[in-house]
Amino acid sequence: MYHVRKRKLHSIPTNGSWNVLFFGTDNFALESLQSLYNEYRTKNLSRLEVVSAYKGKKNVIIQYAEEKGINVKQWPLGNDPQDFHIGIVVSFGHLIPLNIINSFPFGMLNVHASLLPRWRGAAPIIYSLINGDTQTGITIMKIMPEKFDIGEIIVQEKLDIHPDEILPELYIKLAKMGANILVDVIRKLPQILSFSRPQEKIGITYAPKITSKISLVKWDEMTAKNVYDLHRGLLGLYPLTTKFGDKTVKLFDVQQMSKPISGTNAENDVPGLVRFDRKSSALIVACKGPSWISVKRVIMAGHSPMSAMDFRNGFMQGKMKEKIFFQSNVI
């Protein structure tokens, strides 16, 4: 059962027109803020203000708030929020202390882009893709003090992941889905809070903030599907990377493929082996299994971007009798 702090009871209206303080920083959060602003504009919310953090350039949340005349508070807050009924946190990235949570009679809710407890942390969408998940979703949960993603679940809705879905597509889908579910939850306050349930103790996984190091392909450890899933999960963020000699190579237009037509005894391919396929004008790279990916474009350190044909002509032509390999050296 959700307990409302007694000292705030007098400020809760009976008509359900709530005062909302929104915490967010990025494009994922922007979808939810836009939906809340539409609720405010149509008088379904009485008050809407924003908390965000930035250094230097203003983020999209602050830009949107200023454009719409929404009051913005800088994080960290100098004082506890006053006269708000609920706090909404979407892709904020900062732990919220107990005193701020307790400033809201209904507490604080978080819109999280996974089916918690799977993929707690900063990068749930990326991890769902690179791990080949077939399903993800949105969880609306209560915020707990000084902890990320452990609070009780209010609402959870599932979304299937297409085998070829890429990060930008899934990101937009989940951002819009999260915004729609959030508005539905706001409209069902406060009764919906009483239906909260603890997260499962099993199936807990973590999705920490990623760096470019995750883009390195480990040919001898990863199947073609693993490599393709990594490509899908990082698309638009980091290109896949490998080594050719002492040069770092970035891989683009990556696809899974069946057994190469060219060459014999492909089932004996060593991971990292590179062929050029004339029919598809692509580099064919052997992965664990063996299995294979195709690569249409590359960028090699110190060189202009090149097609697979350009790479073949520049770096494979004089060595056609030798075997060419991409390596998994640590970046």
Side-chain angles (χ1 to χ4, degrees), residues 110-124:
N110 175 227
V111 180
H112 185 78
S114 81
L115 299 175
L116 290 169
R118 186 162 178 79
W119 303 132
R120 292 175 176 174

Side-chain angles (χ1 to χ4, degrees), residues 77-253:
L77 296 174
N79 300 297
D80 292 352
Q82 298 293 317
D83 300 320
F84 290 96
H85 301 115
I86 192 165
I88 301 298
V89 178
V90 187
S91 195
F92 186 56
H94 299 274
L95 291 169
I96 312 287
L98 180 62
N99 61 293
I100 291 180
I101 297 171
N102 283 344
S103 299
F104 303 98
F106 295 154
M108 302 184 73
L109 299 182
N110 175 227
V111 180
H112 185 78
S114 81
L115 299 175
L116 290 169
R118 186 162 178 79
W119 303 132
R120 292 175 176 174
I125 305 175
I126 293 171
Y127 277 85
S128 68
L129 287 169
I130 67 178
N131 282 273
D133 289 3
T134 58
Q135 197 172 64
T136 185
I138 291 291
T139 302
I140 308 288
M141 51 165 283
K142 294 180 181 178
I143 290 283
M144 299 294 287
E146 309 297 346
K147 299 283 186 179
F148 282 126
D149 305 336
I150 66 164
E152 292 185 347
I153 294 171
I154 305 295
V155 175
Q156 200 165 63
E157 290 194 18
K158 297 177 180 179
L159 177 69
D160 290 337
I161 301 175
H162 188 275
D164 294 314
E165 196 142 33
I166 56 176
L167 178 60
E169 294 170 347
L170 187 57
Y171 185 95
I172 292 170
K173 276 187 187 178
L174 286 169
K176 291 183 181 299
M177 182 178 177
N180 291 335
I181 298 170
L182 173 62
V183 167
D184 188 57
V185 167
I186 293 289
R187 290 174 179 174
K188 292 176 180 176
L189 287 173
Q191 290 82 4
I192 195 169
L193 298 175
S194 64
F195 295 103
S196 65
R197 56 182 172 83
Q199 293 186 32
E200 296 288 343
K201 296 283 196 291
I202 58 172
I204 297 170
T205 56
Y206 293 94
K209 188 175 181 180
I210 67 163
T211 69
S212 61
K213 290 182 179 180
I214 199 172
S215 69
L216 179 67
V217 179
K218 299 175 182 177
W219 303 105
D220 54 348
E221 297 177 19
M222 301 169 70
T223 66
K225 185 179 186 310
N226 296 151
V227 176
Y228 180 59
D229 289 342
L230 183 64
H231 167 72
R232 293 192 301 127
L234 298 180
L235 194 64
L237 195 59
Y238 301 116
L240 299 189
T241 54
T242 187
K243 286 283 189 175
F244 181 64
D246 61 349
K247 300 279 190 180
T248 296
V249 181
K250 298 177 181 179
L251 310 176
F252 298 88
D253 296 344

Side-chain angles (χ1 to χ4, degrees), residues 6 25 35 107 185 205 278 328:
K6 290 183 178 178
T25 57
S35 292
V185 167
T205 56
R278 291 178 179 275
S328 303

